[in-house]
Amino acid sequence: MFTGIIEEMGEIVSIAPAGDGWRLTVRAPRAAADAVHGESIAVSGVCLTVVGSTADTFDADVMKQTLDVSALGGATVGTRVNIEKAMPVGARLGGHIVQGHVDGTGVVLEVRPGAQWSVLRVSLPDDLAPLVVDKGSISVDGTSLTVSAVSPSTGSGTQGGGSGTQDGGSGTQGGGSGAHWIEVSLIPETLAATTLGSRAVGDRVNLETDILARHVERLLAFRSSDTAAPEGGSR
């Protein structure tokens, strides 16, 4: 479990094939200093399990599914990533509940610099759009952010779905049809402390919606199914 408060920016220093996935080596001195085998670290919002470490790097395996549904699939040696270690029990929840199970990806549509902050507009896959509300929370590349604007509730079609996994989750692969988008406002601290400060139009980012919204959607789906069941059917 994470909070979306980024602790440091790391760098991918090695990518090695591992079956149909990858083994990543990430340079992140703060996270690696006391990393232990088996612990979870969020890498740009993707929950990965540490399988080895040195004084300033850690290794993690990334399965093919995670590469397919997250922006990590486009990473190369030298890619900068946001790093957050798992939240300890009893700590303050500075952001919001982030699982590290990426729902899908979006594409940066617009960057609007301001005097004190920047605004990013990011596309939303169609099936994620109902899960995001104005002034709600969303994780973008693992960073807990408040949604400052959303597209109108129009558009149709879904991009697919699936079940979550421990190291990244499952969801949509693309950045959406362009019909749906969100905007997030980034303060100077976020611009300086995360990779979002260097994002440009066309960049692909990882998205994780609010877990409460996902649970509500699932409950409503069952309620709808029950309502549509023929008389005498099982419930």
Side-chain angles (χ1 to χ4, degrees):
M1 193 72 68
F2 306 92
T3 69
I5 304 301
I6 304 304
E7 298 175 24
E8 65 179 317
M9 281 190 284
E11 179 184 358
I12 296 175
V13 295
S14 174
I15 299 176
D20 62 356
W22 291 350
R23 174 161 292 190
L24 297 182
T25 300
V26 180
R27 179 178 292 116
R30 185 178 300 177
D34 59 354
V36 297
H37 190 279
E39 78 168 289
S40 297
I41 296 180
V43 178
S44 286
V46 180
C47 178
L48 299 179
T49 301
V50 174
V51 296
S53 63
T54 68
D56 64 351
T57 68
F58 66 88
D59 300 327
D61 291 329
V62 189
M63 68 173 69
K64 181 180 185 298
Q65 182 189 23
T66 302
L67 296 174
D68 288 343
V69 303
S70 76
L72 280 183
T76 60
V77 171
T79 294
R80 301 281 282 172
V81 289
N82 293 324
I83 300 295
E84 181 189 358
K85 301 191 76 173
M87 177 179 65
V89 174
R92 292 185 178 91
L93 184 62
H96 71 285
I97 296 174
V98 177
Q99 293 183 293
H101 300 170
V102 172
D103 294 314
T105 62
V107 174
V108 177
L109 301 176
E110 183 181 358
V111 180
R112 299 200 306 273
Q116 297 297 324
W117 59 81
S118 286
V119 175
L120 293 188
R121 177 174 289 195
V122 179
S123 68
L124 271 182
D126 293 339
D127 62 334
L128 299 188
L131 304 177
V132 184
V133 298
D134 188 25
K135 305 305 184 291
S137 296
I138 192 167
S139 169
V140 180
D141 276 351
T143 307
S144 175
L145 298 170
T146 300
V147 177
S148 56
V150 293
S151 57
S153 55
T154 57
S156 61
T158 60
Q159 304 284 331
S163 61
T165 64
Q166 171 61 25
D167 69 335
S170 173
T172 57
Q173 295 186 35
S177 63
H180 299 292
W181 49 262
I182 59 165
E183 289 185 354
V184 290
S185 300
L186 310 179
I187 61 174
E189 173 63 19
T190 303
L191 294 170
T194 77
T195 60
L196 296 179
S198 60
R199 286 301 188 186
V201 171
D203 285 351
R204 190 179 176 207
V205 294
N206 292 321
L207 302 174
E208 182 185 332
T209 57
D210 192 322
I211 185 174
L212 297 179
R214 299 201 302 273
H215 276 299
V216 169
E217 181 187 51
R218 180 69 169 167
L219 288 169
L220 290 175
F222 275 100
R223 178 67 60 86
S224 176
S225 176
D226 285 349
T227 301
E231 186 175 353
S234 61
R235 298 177 62 86

